[in-house]
Amino acid sequence: MLYLSGAKNRLMSDDLAAGRVGLLQTPAAAYRLDDVAVWAMDNGCFTDTYPGDDAYLATLDKYAHHQARCLFVAVPDVVGDAAATLALFPAMAARISAAGWPVALVAQDGMTADDLPDGLPWLFIGGSTEWKLGHAAAELIAEAKRRGVRVHVGRVNSAKRFALFAGLDCDTADGTFIAFAPDKNIPQVRSWMAAPRQTRWI
């Protein structure tokens, strides 16, 4: 499982350039991407920094020359509310996809396998911590993987949580762990990714 850092600094520059670590971009952060091998775009809804639909698409246009290295773009969501998120998804997913970007549906509390749209490329596990770590999210991940959907998990900032979602066969995870004491924490993240994956079920 590849770790996507929510922060960028010079201590991780070699890892970012080589793709050993990816970058989770946001509209508010606006990091340079020329020296980043793998990246994805979060929408900023969790931190209440989503700029609005048209501004979000304009931000994506700004990074169009980096599109080939983008894993996914998170479609706007409503934190903790599956029904509201699913109501928002179709229109903005269509606009983002039309611009050539792979979309990610951000899963929220209450979402089930029946809610997965056909042809979805990425599922982003958001929601509350309790829901994210529970059986319902694990079942959703399992069904997504069965359908060939790639899975990203947000807010993964410990070895225990990284191992949990790696064991559920998730593809990527993000967090701010590297942003704090990067000289100490970057080697730890490398060790998380190098550890043998132990398949598990919650």
Side-chain angles (χ1 to χ4, degrees):
M1 186 166 74
L2 179 68
Y3 195 78
L4 307 183
S5 173
K8 181 185 179 189
N9 59 58
R10 63 175 183 78
L11 293 176
M12 70 177 77
S13 59
D14 289 346
D15 291 289
L16 287 169
R20 292 187 294 267
V21 170
L23 181 71
L24 189 69
Q25 180 76 295
T26 67
Y31 292 116
R32 287 181 62 255
L33 298 175
D34 298 297
D35 52 354
V36 176
V38 180
W39 68 285
M41 176 66 84
D42 197 359
N43 54 44
C45 290
F46 183 77
T47 55
D48 201 26
T49 57
Y50 181 62
D53 294 350
D54 291 340
Y56 193 41
L57 290 165
T59 298
L60 293 174
D61 287 344
K62 184 171 68 173
Y63 297 116
H65 55 297
H66 300 295
Q67 190 177 76
R69 305 196 308 279
C70 180
L71 295 173
F72 62 81
V73 171
V75 176
D77 58 291
V78 179
V79 178
D81 191 330
T85 295
L86 290 165
L88 286 177
F89 181 77
M92 272 301 285
R95 294 179 71 185
I96 294 168
S97 293
W101 300 94
V103 301
L105 168 64
V106 183
Q108 299 292 342
D109 300 42
M111 197 170 290
T112 71
D114 291 339
D115 296 318
L116 291 172
D118 291 337
L120 181 70
W122 279 87
L123 180 69
F124 185 135
I125 302 298
S128 66
T129 299
E130 181 181 11
W131 181 80
K132 183 197 305 281
L133 299 178
H135 191 75
E139 288 185 329
L140 183 60
I141 291 167
E143 177 60 19
K145 297 300 295 186
R146 188 187 71 78
R147 298 188 192 185
V149 179
R150 301 182 74 184
V151 178
H152 174 81
V153 186
R155 306 194 315 276
V156 175
N157 290 302
S158 70
K160 181 179 180 180
R161 192 171 295 187
F162 188 94
L164 170 67
F165 288 107
L168 291 171
D169 200 28
C170 295
D171 298 278
T172 58
D174 76 76
T176 56
F177 187 75
I178 292 177
F180 306 99
D183 55 336
K184 174 185 175 183
N185 291 341
I186 290 171
Q188 289 194 52
V189 169
R190 291 187 192 123
S191 72
W192 298 352
M193 291 188 289
R197 177 177 295 189
Q198 297 184 7
T199 303
R200 66 190 70 198
W201 183 261
I202 294 177

